[in-house]
Amino acid sequence: MSGYVPGEQPKGEGIIKLNTNENPWLCSPEIRDILNEINVANLAKYPDPLCMEVRKVIAEKHEVGVGNIFAGNGSDEILALCIRAFVERTGAVGYFDPSYSLYPILAQIEDVEVRPVALDENFEWQMPENYEASVFFLTNPNAPTGMLFPKETVEAFVKSFPGVVVIDEAYVDFARESCIELAVKYDNVLVVRTLSKSYALAGIRFGYCIGAKPLIDALYKIKDSYNINMLTQELARVAILDDGTMTAITSAVKGTRELITKELNDLGFKVYPSETNFVWVKPPKPGAKKFFEELKKRNIFVRWFDGPRTKDCLRITVGTNEQMMTLVEKIEEILEK
Ligand SMILES: *Cc1c(COP(=O)(O)O)cnc(C)c1O
């Protein structure tokens, strides 16, 4: 098998990195304070295997029980555990095409069948009749399209679906609504969140999911004993307690998103309505692949995905206003060539 290929992590001066949806803003100032307070002697001990202190804070934030929360080493760990927990050898994994390209690879690792559902030309969905899978990964807002599926549509789907629906809300803090209540209302729904995007903390590796206790218990049975290190547990706790910083930096990103949407529209790009910290765009001539290459030559990294549904588009992370202005300048340069 071929493994997952993460976005490039180029090193060097003057590079504008808009290819992995990192947040350009600084995380909570509480993080710096807590790093200074951490007792180094405690690093000799194993961390709490159940991650109780963070789960208490998450329970309060979402008004659910601690027993309805699973904490993971990034949400990617949770996605992998969902396949191991909920898919038998003869089962199948479902997801939309295009969506997060990690899902089929996680299925391949476990040697189980995949049943992707192709989105239509507007990147919207129509479920095939009698569709079944053990687990369905529903990315909402979707990536790489940035579009939000309405809660009513998602609810109608989870009601009729016989397996576990994992709603991947990696970008939901940039969106107008969340499906988190479905995880409380239905016993076949897990909602997955991450600190990597909206909290500007991709480096600490922390994600969590919310759902019915039997699903959460199953994940706890099969996880690594000490899946989240002690430093991350501390940092995640103070970051979630300081939700104000997250709200402020996501608002800033949304402001810049509006700005870049308008600029790119004016330059003849089709910009899909984004509810995330990236924009999914269809460039004019010379086309997506050429723009990807030409921008890279100019030290701007964006993401281009080969494949019938994605090859005409680019995914561009919303950076700072300054980075977006440089992007616009370089695009103008390429258009004039
Ligand atoms: C970034 C991303 C993740 C991974 O989040 P981590 O918590 O950093 O592992 C999961 N799902 C989607 C759709 C993402 O874009």
Side-chain angles (χ1 to χ4, degrees), residues 243-301:
D243 254 5
T245 297
M246 182 275 281
T247 314
I249 63 181
T250 50
S251 298
V253 168
K254 287 189 269 183
T256 309
R257 182 176 77 196
E258 226 171 278
L259 187 116
I260 190 64
T261 298
K262 188 177 171 310
E263 293 283 345
L264 291 175
N265 262 321
D266 290 349
L267 290 170
F269 283 59
K270 177 176 169 64
V271 187
Y272 289 86
S274 169
E275 303 249 1
T276 59
N277 67 337
F278 57 85
V279 284
W280 179 242
V281 300
K282 192 169 178 182
K285 283 199 169 99
K289 183 154 192 249
K290 190 74 180 163
F291 263 105
F292 166 75
E293 287 160 358
E294 290 294 320
L295 285 169
K296 192 163 162 174
K297 279 186 204 158
R298 292 165 174 80
N299 267 341
I300 299 183
F301 286 72

Side-chain angles (χ1 to χ4, degrees), residues 63-116:
E63 298 174 341
V64 297
V66 170
N68 299 107
I69 299 162
F70 177 86
N73 188 13
S75 57
D76 283 352
E77 182 195 23
I78 301 176
L79 304 175
L81 288 174
C82 283
I83 298 184
R84 284 159 65 185
F86 308 126
V87 188
E88 303 285 349
R89 292 278 167 244
T90 52
V93 173
Y95 51 86
F96 293 127
D97 176 27
S99 71
Y100 190 26
S101 55
L102 180 67
Y103 308 136
I105 290 168
L106 295 176
Q108 216 181 347
I109 292 169
E110 297 301 324
D111 208 10
V112 293
E113 191 193 326
V114 291
R115 285 195 197 135

